[in-house]
Amino acid sequence: MEYTVIGWPEDEPTLRLDHRQFAYAGKFVMSNTGKAVVRGPRGTLLSAVAFNADRTDDDRLRLRYITTRNSHRGQGIGTRLASFITARAHERAFDTVTIAVNNPFAFHALSKAGFGFTGEQTGMAELVLAHPHDRSSYQTGLDLFRERDLSMAELAFLQRKADTSPPTIVPDPSG
């Protein structure tokens, strides 16, 4: 797989994704966010992330959207992309990278990318994760999801993760 930064926010990159294959496809057409992607064999786009500097803190990069091709979800591609762009952000002197997630699957995936729950929630019922951050609040975050009206798949996932430690961190795939 090939991991590539298409452009940083100041480059005004755009990316057209097939809305039938990718969630949040319309968010990637906008040019006010940076973009990074994962390509598979024959250049097939597998995953993408949109990001920009935090409006309140110039030392913080905010991941806005991560999406993975429907047929490739659950394979860790989005997690590795998050690790990749986080490493690039730290190389560009961003002290912190944050993301807000709205489901336990994304929460777990970002935990595998080394993010930790900050204890903050957005007004949109999202939990805020940061990198670097103490990951000892992993179960606290999962407990907040347990209080919600969830799908059977989410409930089963949370049951499997009860009383577990944070997952092992997946390293930046570019080494």
Side-chain angles (χ1 to χ4, degrees):
M1 285 186 231
E2 178 186 356
Y3 296 79
T4 307
V5 175
I6 293 175
W8 292 87
E10 62 270 16
D11 301 325
E12 300 185 351
T14 61
L15 181 62
R16 294 208 179 271
L17 300 174
D18 182 344
H19 70 277
R20 296 165 297 189
Q21 297 295 320
F22 293 93
Y24 309 114
K27 303 293 185 182
F28 288 82
V29 177
M30 300 172 62
S31 63
N32 63 340
T33 57
K35 314 286 186 309
V37 299
V38 178
R39 295 190 186 279
R42 297 174 299 285
T44 302
L45 187 68
L46 301 179
S47 191
V49 60
F51 54 88
N52 59 353
D54 189 293
R55 289 183 281 259
T56 62
D57 184 349
D58 291 339
D59 295 327
R60 182 181 304 172
L61 186 80
R62 184 175 302 272
L63 303 183
R64 296 291 180 184
Y65 303 96
I66 298 177
T67 187
T68 299
R69 182 178 290 275
N70 293 339
S71 60
H72 286 73
R73 287 187 181 165
Q75 298 177 19
I77 297 169
T79 299
R80 290 190 300 275
L81 178 58
S83 293
F84 170 80
I85 195 59
T86 298
R88 305 294 78 74
H90 290 316
E91 288 171 0
R92 287 180 67 113
F94 285 100
D95 295 333
T96 306
V97 178
T98 63
I99 187 168
V101 299
N102 62 8
N103 68 74
F105 302 122
F107 182 89
H108 181 74
L110 272 295
S111 295
K112 289 183 354 184
F115 285 74
F117 177 47
T118 65
E120 298 174 53
Q121 295 184 60
T122 70
M124 299 180 68
E126 296 172 317
L127 305 187
V128 179
L129 298 144
H131 185 285
H133 198 277
D134 177 13
R135 296 183 335 124
S136 65
S137 58
Y138 176 72
Q139 281 299 323
T140 302
L142 293 180
D143 286 343
L144 289 170
F145 285 113
R146 288 182 178 98
E147 297 172 1
R148 299 181 181 182
D149 184 23
L150 300 173
S151 70
M152 294 301 287
E154 289 169 316
L155 291 170
F157 177 79
L158 288 171
Q159 187 173 15
R160 288 192 308 273
K161 298 302 174 192
D163 300 320
T164 62
S165 298
T168 302
I169 295 175
V170 173
D172 169 15
S174 65

